[in-house]
């Protein structure tokens, strides 16, 4: 690996080409043009996907507040919309029945919002960003942050052309050092660079541990007439028991497409909990069968969701950097929305970067104004109103509903000023604790191949591709733990919480268990990095361009 590493210098670097990064880059480019005294401001976006938007996954319902501020004529400019929301429904499911709630919680009223494909939305924004003169580098994952002491000065992108043993291949190309006066991290949930930075600088000191969920989604082409209007349904209940947080969504899209998904909180106690299987169980409900029968699975995907809210947000800035979107925990789990919050945060970061460029000061003293801008914004106010929502479900569904009601009438406070919570993985119980003898058996099989599918079939529909001969990007610190302690205590839960069959426990001729990692299946959801009970799995970026292909998702 002797090739010389190239260096690229920019003024502001956005890491992650999601809605927050794209909105921030576009806003910064537009604002910089209003200030000729700054000269030509060099802006770049790093995106690990081969094309803008292909690694973006969401339900998705978009609150238009942020995009209206960014581009007041966004509709006239052709922003891709599936449907304006025309009808809302919230239901409770039993195993065979569906009961509509007698009233709709205000946070789940979607009048004035829009059903979108986040891939199409981000791709459209990416075109605007490039037209504004911003350099968008696709297929370039951020592998590590560059520091001068504790000051962030840039990002090193991942090497290309390295084999599974770490040796250079004939096509080896070292990653590029992208140096920047300001780095804005918008990597989404459990961003790998953000995780490194938070740990190094203790940005989460005094905060609640972040709570995550895993969302599993399929897009279906269904019979004509089902998706004609902007139809939004959310459910709770079946197939979850009262100890688990989560529920489903069903959104209508254009061209007879239906967006169907299921979200499971990653703070469950049963190590055999399998979000993908629960999603398949949900689709067996008679109501879902009536929608999907005669339909065709088109796309599949999974991602984690940062649900901890206001109290779990890390410090948002420091010397040379700012955090936006889900990298900063900016998601309203009560409304099930984060696109507008990510976009607003990106815009606030852009305004702060302009101020820093004017002052020629990129230290935390200047970038602290990002925190002040956020504190004065509607995004802060929205997250503050639901500050204790997700933590209220620590005791299960029914106590969570009690706390939700109480928080609603006390403007987000509830019984306590601040609700606390444990890290999700710490709530997982050992098998022996679940039933006293450790003889529990996980569910297997039972998929009909028509409306319910095994993980490998779904992964095929995600379009996931990786270069096979490259280092495994799922780094397990101690694989011996997997075949001994984890197998005995938890039954290797990685086999169940991963929605892509990445982790497999094999038994050799002598009966010894061994972990097999099918890294090429990985859909980049980061569930393993979050939910491993021993916290020995680290997700790092694979070779650029690898991963899912979430077209139209």
């Amino acid at each position: 690996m002797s090739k010389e590493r190239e260096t690229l210098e920019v003024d502001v670097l956005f890491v992650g080409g999601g809605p927050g990064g794209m909105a921030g880059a576009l806003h910064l480019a537009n604002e910089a043009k209003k200030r000729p005294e700054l000269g030509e401001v060099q802006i770049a976006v790093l995106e690990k996907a081969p094309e803008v938007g292909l690694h973006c996954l969401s339900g998705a319902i978009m609150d238009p507040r942020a995009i209206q501020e960014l581009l007041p004529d966004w509709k006239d400019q052709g922003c891709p919309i599936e449907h304006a929301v025309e009808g809302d429904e919230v239901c409770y499911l039993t195993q065979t029945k569906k009961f509509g709630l007698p009233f709709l919680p205000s946070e789940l009223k979607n009048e004035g919002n829009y059903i979108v494909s986040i891939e199409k939305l981000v791709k459209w924004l990416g075109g605007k960003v490039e037209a504004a003169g911003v350099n968008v580098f696709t297929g370039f994952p951020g592998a590590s942050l560059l520091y001068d002491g504790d000051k962030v000065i840039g990002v090193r992108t991942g090497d290309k052309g390295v084999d599974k043993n770490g040796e250079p291949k004939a096509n080896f190309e070292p990653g590029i050092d992208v140096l920047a006066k300001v780095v804005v991290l918008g990597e989404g949930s459990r961003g790998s660079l953000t995780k490194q930075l938070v740990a190094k600088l203790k940005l989460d000191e005094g905060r609640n541990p972040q709570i995550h969920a895993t969302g599993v989604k399929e897009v279906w082409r269904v019979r004509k007439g089902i998706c004609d209007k902007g139809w939004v349904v959310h459910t709770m209940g079946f197939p979850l028991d009262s100890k688990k947080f989560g529920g489903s969504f069903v959104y209508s899209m254009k061209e007879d497409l239906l967006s169907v998904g299921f979200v499971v909180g990653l703070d469950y106690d049963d190590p055999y909990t399998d979000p993908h299987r629960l999603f398949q169980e949900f689709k067996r409900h008679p109501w879902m069968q009536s929608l999907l029968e005669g339909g065709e699975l088109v796309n599949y995907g999974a991602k984690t969701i940062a649900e901890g809210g206001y109290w779990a947000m890390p410090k948002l800035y420091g010397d040379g950097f700012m955090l936006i979107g889900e990298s900063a925990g900016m998601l309203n789990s009560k409304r099930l929305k984060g696109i507008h919050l990510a976009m607003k945060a990106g815009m606030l970061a852009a305004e702060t970067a302009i101020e820093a460029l004017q002052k020629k000061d990129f230290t935390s003293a200047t970038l602290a104004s990002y925190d002040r801008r956020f504190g004065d914004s509607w995004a802060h106010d929205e997250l503050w109103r639901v500050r204790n929502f997700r933590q209220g479900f620590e005791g299960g569904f029914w106590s969570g509903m009690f706390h939700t009601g109480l928080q609603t009438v006390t403007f987000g406070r509830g019984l306590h000023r601040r609700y606390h919570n444990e890290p999700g993985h710490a709530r997982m119980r050992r098998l022996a604790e679940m039933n006293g003898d450790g003889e529990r058996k996980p569910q297997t099989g039972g998929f009909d191949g028509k409306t319910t599918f095994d993980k490998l079939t779904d992964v095929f529909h995600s379009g996931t591709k990786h270069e096979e001969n490259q280092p495994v990007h799922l780094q397990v610190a101690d694989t011996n733990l997997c075949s001994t302690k984890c197998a005995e205590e938890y039954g290797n839960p990685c086999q169940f919480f991963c929605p892509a069959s990445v982790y497999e426990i094999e038994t050799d001729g002598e009966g010894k268990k061994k972990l097999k990692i099918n890294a090429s299946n990985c859909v980049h959801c980061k569930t393993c990095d979050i939910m491993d009970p021993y916290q020995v799995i680290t997700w790092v970026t694979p070779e650029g361009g690898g991963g899912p292909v979430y077209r139209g998702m």
Side-chain angles (χ1 to χ4, degrees):
M1 300 188 186
S2 59
K3 285 189 179 181
E4 187 175 345
R5 193 178 298 277
E6 293 183 23
T7 299
L8 173 67
E9 294 189 22
V10 300
D11 293 303
V12 182
L13 175 64
F14 289 85
V15 183
M22 289 303 182
L26 180 58
H27 191 51
L28 178 57
N30 291 339
E31 291 299 306
K33 289 173 184 175
K34 299 175 184 177
R35 296 166 174 80
E37 70 277 8
L38 292 177
E40 186 175 357
V41 177
Q42 295 294 326
I43 309 165
V45 178
L46 288 182
E47 170 53 47
K48 64 183 176 69
E51 297 177 26
V52 170
L54 289 190
H55 286 182
C56 290
L57 182 68
S58 179
I61 304 290
M62 181 180 70
D63 181 330
R65 189 168 186 177
I67 199 169
Q68 186 73 37
E69 293 180 5
L70 178 66
L71 297 166
D73 59 344
W74 59 283
K75 288 185 186 178
D76 294 336
Q77 290 195 39
C79 179
I81 296 168
E82 298 296 318
H83 286 295
V85 175
E86 297 178 29
D88 271 312
E89 191 176 356
V90 178
C91 307
Y92 185 86
L93 301 184
T94 66
Q95 192 164 358
T96 59
K97 302 294 183 181
K98 169 176 169 278
F99 300 96
L101 295 191
F103 65 93
L104 196 66
S106 59
E107 289 81 8
L108 291 178
K109 291 180 180 177
N110 284 291
E111 184 179 354
N113 296 330
Y114 297 85
I115 302 168
V116 299
S117 155
I118 194 170
E119 181 266 330
K120 293 179 184 177
L121 173 67
V122 170
K123 184 177 181 179
W124 179 79
L125 282 172
K128 301 290 182 186
V129 167
E130 290 185 304
V134 176
N135 291 308
V136 179
F137 299 105
T138 55
F140 283 88
S144 59
L145 290 166
L146 302 173
Y147 295 95
D148 179 2
D150 286 341
K151 181 180 181 181
V152 175
I153 60 170
V155 172
R156 175 167 293 174
T157 67
D159 295 339
K160 296 183 178 182
V162 180
D163 70 17
K164 61 184 178 182
N165 298 314
E167 297 297 324
K169 297 186 289 190
N171 64 338
F172 172 72
E173 290 291 339
I176 300 171
D177 284 350
V178 186
L179 304 179
K181 298 180 177 73
V182 179
V183 174
V184 182
L185 293 176
E187 305 173 280
S189 174
R190 196 68 162 198
S192 52
L193 297 184
T194 305
K195 178 183 174 183
Q196 297 170 27
L197 182 65
V198 168
K200 177 180 172 68
L201 301 183
K202 299 180 180 179
L203 301 178
D204 57 352
E205 195 168 51
R207 271 68 169 179
N208 282 4
Q210 184 59 264
I211 312 171
H212 293 85
T214 290
V216 186
K217 175 181 174 179
E218 293 173 350
V219 173
W220 281 73
R221 180 164 282 108
V222 294
R223 303 184 312 279
K224 288 191 177 297
I226 291 178
C227 298
D228 288 348
K229 297 182 178 180
W231 183 45
V232 172
V233 182
H234 294 101
T235 78
M236 59 189 100
F238 175 83
L240 296 176
D241 62 44
S242 63
K243 294 181 180 179
K244 296 182 180 69
F245 180 86
S248 81
F249 60 85
V250 180
Y251 305 151
S252 60
M253 302 172 73
K254 290 179 179 177
E255 300 175 352
D256 299 310
L257 295 177
L258 196 65
S259 174
V260 182
F262 203 82
V263 177
V264 181
L266 296 179
D267 54 353
Y268 52 76
D269 63 351
D270 185 350
Y272 287 155
T273 299
D274 186 330
H276 175 272
R277 174 170 284 278
L278 286 166
F279 179 38
Q280 305 309 308
E281 288 291 330
F282 162 69
K283 289 187 295 172
R284 288 193 180 97
H285 192 277
W287 167 63
M288 284 303 301
Q289 289 289 301
S290 72
L291 298 178
L292 301 181
E293 185 178 6
E296 175 192 8
L297 173 61
V298 177
N299 289 313
Y300 169 78
K303 75 176 289 288
T304 52
I305 305 163
E307 293 187 330
Y310 184 86
W311 297 121
M313 290 171 56
K315 183 181 178 184
L316 300 178
Y317 67 94
D319 288 338
F321 72 87
M322 290 177 277
L323 306 179
I324 64 172
E326 274 197 274
S327 286
M330 295 177 181
L331 182 131
N332 185 333
S333 58
K334 193 173 184 182
R335 290 188 72 201
L336 309 174
K337 291 178 180 60
I339 295 172
H340 65 303
L341 296 170
M343 292 180 70
K344 181 61 174 178
M347 295 163 67
L348 296 173
E351 293 166 12
T352 306
I354 286 286
E355 179 186 349
L357 289 167
Q358 290 175 320
K359 291 183 177 180
K360 297 181 180 180
D361 179 9
F362 310 100
T363 65
S364 60
T366 293
L367 298 186
S369 63
Y370 169 54
D371 195 51
R372 292 192 290 272
R373 284 182 169 90
F374 173 73
D376 291 338
S377 72
W378 53 258
H380 171 276
D381 294 345
E382 179 176 328
L383 289 172
W384 176 252
R385 287 194 298 271
V386 296
R387 58 193 179 277
N388 287 318
F389 169 72
R390 183 61 177 83
Q391 293 84 350
F393 285 82
E394 282 277 289
F397 176 78
W398 296 113
S399 66
M401 295 301 290
F402 165 76
H403 286 291
T404 298
L406 192 58
Q407 290 165 18
T408 298
V409 299
T410 58
F411 306 101
R413 185 186 189 279
L415 289 177
H416 316 285
R417 177 183 176 273
R418 173 177 174 179
Y419 283 50
H420 293 274
N421 61 275
E422 291 183 87
H425 71 274
R427 294 174 61 85
M428 189 183 292
R429 297 169 63 191
R430 292 170 176 80
L431 292 174
E433 296 173 329
M434 294 296 295
N435 64 354
D437 59 12
E439 292 298 319
R440 298 173 68 254
K441 301 290 184 182
Q443 287 182 284
T444 57
F447 307 112
D448 63 15
K450 296 178 181 179
T451 57
T452 60
F453 307 95
D454 61 27
K455 291 180 182 180
L456 291 180
T457 300
D458 262 334
V459 170
F460 172 79
H461 283 90
S462 74
T464 298
K465 294 180 181 178
H466 292 88
E467 166 60 46
E468 293 281 355
N469 187 16
Q470 66 170 303
V472 174
H473 68 278
L474 302 145
Q475 299 177 351
V476 181
D478 183 1
T479 55
N480 288 327
L481 192 69
C482 306
S483 58
T484 55
K485 192 174 182 180
C486 187
E488 295 166 5
E489 293 187 341
Y490 295 101
N492 297 117
C494 58
Q495 299 175 99
F496 310 109
F497 59 57
C498 173
S501 281
V502 169
Y503 300 95
E504 186 178 349
I505 302 298
E506 297 182 320
T507 303
D508 62 21
E510 299 177 355
K512 184 177 180 181
K513 293 183 177 181
K514 182 180 179 181
L515 175 67
K516 178 183 179 183
I517 301 177
N518 305 303
S520 59
N521 290 354
C522 180
V523 294
H524 298 196
C525 71
K526 322 286 181 62
T527 302
C528 57
D529 192 301
I530 295 164
M531 201 55 186
D532 172 59
Y534 302 101
Q535 295 291 280
V536 296
I537 301 176
T538 300
W539 189 96
V540 300
T541 51
E543 186 169 303
V549 179
Y550 288 151
R551 208 174 294 280
M553 291 288 268

